[in-house]
Amino acid sequence: MCCWPSLFLSNSRPILSCCPCPFMAALWTLSLVLSGCLFACLALNPPQLYDLPPSLGSNGSRSGLSVDRPMVLRVFSVDYHHVQAPFEIVLWIMLASLAKLGFHWSGRVPAVVPESCVLIMVGLLVGGVIYGVRHSAPPTLSADAFFLFLLPPIVLDAGYFLPGRLFFENLGTILWYALLGTLWNVLGIGLSLYGVCLLAPSSLGDISLLHCLLFGSLIAAVDPVAVLSVFQEMQVNEQLHILVFGESLLNDAVTVVLYKLFESFLRLPSVTGLDVLLGGCRVVLVGLGGLFVGLFFGLLAALTSRFASRAQVIAPLFVFLYSYLSYLTSEMLHLSGITAIVTCAVTMKQYVEANVSERSNASIQYFLKMWSSVSETLIFIFLGVSTIQDIHMWSWPFVCSTLLLCLVWRATGVLLLTAVVNKLRRNTVTFRDQFIIAYGGLRGAICFSLVFLIDDFPKKRLFITTTIVVILFTVFVQGMTIKPLVELLDVKRKKRALPTVSEEIHSRLIDHLLAGIEDVVGYWGQHYWKDKLQFNKKYLRRFLIGEERQARSSILRVYQELKRREQRGDEEAPPDSNQCTKQIRTSTPAYSRHTLHQDVTTDRTRKPLQRHLSLGERRRYNTITHWPQVLHAVLQVHTSKSGAVSKALPFPPLDGK
Amino acid sequence: MGSSSSNLNTIPNSQELMQETGFSAAHLLRLYERFEFLDKDNKGHLRPEDFEAVQELSTNPIGDIIIGSFFSPGQETVDFPSFVRILAHFRPAEKNRTRDGAQPEPANSSTGKLKFAFQLYDRDRDGKISREELLQVLRAMLEMQVTEEQLESMAERAIQEADLDEDDAISFDEFKKSLEKVNIDHKMSIHFMK
């Protein structure tokens, strides 16, 4: 049965996964060993180190243990306290990553269970073990750590790889769902829950209306992390994907405002109509404010990248720094951080991509994917761990009605809103799509962190328990069943073919044609605005992109992309769209958004030649006069027969000196 | 718009036009007003110069080609019925059209729209897009962004991809096939002209 030799003969996944015996064993052993270390560290947690008398000073920790011993040279000592914090962090990340690895190696499981579910289960397991060993609650996900460290990389990754054109074409619908839909959900769930509380005054009598509204505001929000992780494995058509995903990103503005609003209302002695009006103004301010902060930092990043040509190695750093700055700034000003970071990423992407070398682009993409992957894994594991709490407060009517109301209000909200928005759209949102939008409204870690931040009041534990139940329900039940449902309902899937140059040419021609016809008719349609913005772009681009790297038409981009693939010789024929989806899924590597597009991994063949030259270039930049010949020599290797030149050079082209 | 409802009678053959193109009375009137607006000297027909007066069209990369498409080969003027017939191509297609073999394909169906786009390339109306015609359009769209060699290799590649019967030119069917993944009705419709 063991197909060990075949592992080397073919590199298709199914064969690898059918007989991974030696690898699996090694992997699991390794992860067990590491988990053991983690538990040992957490369980032992030697208390005597914290009781050291202060007279020994800060550096005394090294010699602290030996203060009672005879004065003999210690050959071997263990000083865990010194490295405790980073050591534990690294162990957690290691555990999370190994769990992820194990998941992808485990045969048929990835096809049935989404990754998020498995990670939560691992977290539950770890939490349970820790609880069993220490008899106290395991470490929980602190809200600060979540909002400041774990959430930004995921949202940045999502924003950077957002399909811009599709997003803006559907922006109206997305905003409609995000703003009105969230408001509908919040008010609906809050008010209905209050009704439920009134009906059961014995157990739930002390929950006020404001508390219910507060709870409604945090539980109604669709979570981008959960949505991303489930939808990416599903491969539905792009329009549906962008609608759900865009909504989950943009509803942050409404959620943040409503949550903070109700929280501040709770602290006020009384609430007047004026306060509500001011609250409405705040929504607008928070959303727009986040937008402008993001725009500002995005343009700054674009400008900086223009001058990054002389230090290509740190160019990717600017992308991360500016995005994170935008997030932190808007959090500082109590604006919507998610909106800021998404806007920043979308703004700077096109300019940075044009200004920065291809290898830096590859680094940016890799790092983004890596960090967001680690963050997401950690979030789900901690969700699992934090579920093991000391005190859970349970109340059947509250929990069950919350679950029911979430589903009901979301379904009715989507139905009503779509009925209105379909009249204004060209591509109607079908009933099947609507069902998936309603069913795909998963809750995740944002709700969880928000519920911990509530000021303490008697029923806070109940809220926490309910939130955990709702999250687990949506992620497990809805997450696992949505894939079979999509297949059952025959929702339109993503088209998986490569673009062709002729298709791109004709599409652009039609775009220009429509813009022209709209001008002739005098109609300010979509194309009119797109063209107007093009002109702005022309000015912006000239300012923000170095002269030698001016923007290329999409036709050129597609053409060069295809040429690049051919030169590497691994051009794959677009799969026949009539193929059974199961076949597609098993013959291509396990798709997750954490595996990059093929391009980025293939610079290997070019490396030796380029690295040598780029090193030399940095030292001798100002004195080389024979660069044109050198360039020519390099380019000869990479030009195709017809003489077209690919623009993918790792070092900056020369200006006239 | 309200006061012009009586002007339907000033448009010659308005009923026939409405039936042929499918425009409603309100739309037809709006188009007539636009026609009169473009026709500055009140000649009753439009010349290329009138189109060039439209500001944004002059900055459109294929502006000349679009203007040219309004005029039948050899003619230098376009009257109102021809104007409307061309614009009828951009109406959104009817969803529940009965497929009656005897009826000619309406202008605003997918095939009609594709035919219009095809004719933008195929200036000499020989039913095929030759390499030279493709190059002309490409040159107009890409202007100064690429060298001549790159243009030629792009055209070469486009023809290679689409040309199935290997006659070094793109016929209408090949053109249609290369755009089969694109939702033509969505892309080539002006929404308000329902």
Side-chain angles (χ1 to χ4, degrees), chain A residues 426 495 500-502 505-506 509-512 514 516-517 519-523 551-553 556 559 566, chain B residues 34 56-57 60-62 121 137 142 145-146 153-154 157 161 175 178 181 186-192:
Chain A
R426 261 185 266 175
K495 292 177 265 195
T500 57
V501 175
S502 53
I505 294 178
H506 302 321
L509 177 86
I510 294 179
D511 282 339
H512 286 305
L514 258 293
I517 296 289
D519 294 328
V520 168
V521 175
Y523 171 65
R552 305 164 294 184
S553 155
L556 201 49
Y559 174 69
E566 264 170 23
Chain B
R34 183 71 185 170
E56 292 81 9
L57 211 51
N60 194 315
I62 53 168
Y121 285 104
V137 174
L142 288 175
Q145 295 181 33
V146 292
S153 58
M154 267 191 267
R157 199 199 164 92
E161 280 169 354
F175 180 73
S178 67
K181 296 197 201 92
H186 171 68
K187 226 172 150 54
M188 270 184 78
S189 296
I190 299 189
H191 184 68
F192 85 101

Side-chain angles (χ1 to χ4, degrees), chain B residues 11 16 23 27 31 34 42 56 63 66 78 81-82 91 93 102 127 130-131 137-138 142-143 152 155 164 175-176 178:
Chain B
I11 307 174
E16 287 162 12
F23 278 122
H27 286 136
L31 289 174
R34 183 71 185 170
N42 263 333
E56 292 81 9
I66 297 177
V78 56
S82 317
R91 280 185 58 234
S130 70
R131 188 184 303 248
V137 174
L138 261 182
L142 288 175
E143 276 189 84
E152 276 175 30
L164 299 167
F175 180 73
K176 203 163 152 180
S178 67

Side-chain angles (χ1 to χ4, degrees), chain A residues 307-587:
Chain A
F307 302 109
S309 49
R310 303 213 185 174
Q312 288 285 3
V313 182
I314 60 167
L317 200 57
F318 287 116
V319 171
F320 307 126
L321 289 178
Y322 276 113
S323 324
Y324 197 43
L325 260 183
S326 74
Y327 182 79
L328 291 175
T329 312
S330 57
E331 284 290 315
M332 173 179 78
L333 299 171
H334 291 295
L335 303 172
S336 166
I338 293 186
T339 313
I341 207 173
V342 169
T343 317
C344 185
V346 169
T347 315
M348 76 173 146
K349 178 180 177 181
Q350 38 182 329
Y351 306 112
V352 164
E353 262 187 352
N355 273 333
V356 137
S357 76
E358 185 167 300
R359 299 176 80 192
S360 296
N361 264 325
S363 321
I364 294 178
Q365 290 172 18
Y366 256 122
F367 270 110
L368 279 177
K369 291 286 182 203
M370 186 186 75
W371 269 327
S372 71
S373 174
V374 169
S375 270
E376 185 184 313
T377 320
L378 274 178
I379 288 178
F380 282 120
I381 288 217
F382 268 111
L383 259 180
V385 170
S386 311
T387 312
I388 315 288
Q389 292 277 323
D390 259 343
I391 319 161
H392 274 295
M393 197 188 288
W394 184 266
S395 152
W396 279 105
F398 194 77
V399 173
C400 294
S401 53
T402 311
L403 267 179
L404 196 66
L405 286 171
C406 283
L407 289 171
V408 164
W409 281 104
R410 180 152 176 91
T412 52
V414 168
L415 274 173
L416 281 176
L417 290 175
T418 318
V420 174
V421 95
N422 265 341
K423 298 213 167 46
L424 305 169
R425 280 176 61 90
R426 261 185 266 175
N427 263 351
T428 55
V429 183
T430 65
F431 274 117
R432 290 183 194 146
D433 286 351
Q434 286 175 44
F435 178 76
I436 298 293
I437 293 177
Y439 201 67
L442 303 176
R443 275 57 169 186
I446 294 189
C447 319
F448 188 72
S449 308
L450 283 179
V451 84
F452 268 103
L453 287 176
I454 304 182
D455 292 335
D456 227 349
F457 77 105
K459 283 288 194 300
K460 182 172 169 181
R461 291 259 152 219
L462 175 61
F463 280 7
I464 296 179
T465 311
T466 317
T467 313
I468 293 178
V469 171
V470 170
I471 296 177
L472 289 181
F473 180 82
T474 57
V475 171
F476 276 91
V477 175
Q478 285 178 237
M480 279 206 273
T481 55
I482 201 167
K483 238 196 272 191
L485 271 176
V486 160
E487 276 177 39
L488 197 70
L489 292 177
D490 195 29
V491 173
K492 224 169 77 161
R493 311 303 287 266
K494 195 172 176 172
K495 292 177 265 195
R496 294 174 136 256
L498 293 173
T500 57
V501 175
S502 53
E503 185 181 318
E504 190 65 29
I505 294 178
H506 302 321
S507 296
R508 297 299 288 132
L509 177 86
I510 294 179
D511 282 339
H512 286 305
L513 171 67
L514 258 293
I517 296 289
E518 278 177 3
D519 294 328
V520 168
V521 175
Y523 171 65
W524 284 14
Q526 213 183 32
H527 292 89
Y528 175 79
W529 289 113
K530 248 194 239 173
D531 260 9
K532 272 264 176 238
L533 290 176
Q534 288 291 340
F535 292 124
N536 281 335
K537 258 194 206 172
K538 273 200 180 147
Y539 297 124
L540 271 181
R541 289 191 111 119
R542 234 174 259 150
F543 181 56
L544 293 171
I545 302 186
E547 282 88 30
E548 56 280 354
R549 294 165 183 270
Q550 282 297 327
R552 305 164 294 184
S553 155
S554 65
I555 300 178
L556 201 49
R557 258 181 277 147
V558 171
Y559 174 69
Q560 286 171 348
E561 170 67 30
L562 289 172
K563 270 244 141 336
R564 235 176 298 181
R565 284 179 188 233
E566 264 170 23
Q567 284 164 11
R568 286 195 306 265
D570 57 357
E571 173 142 33
E572 41 177 59
D576 185 12
S577 54
N578 293 333
Q579 244 182 351
C580 173
T581 48
K582 266 207 198 116
Q583 258 182 314
I584 294 181
R585 223 180 282 144
T586 51
S587 61

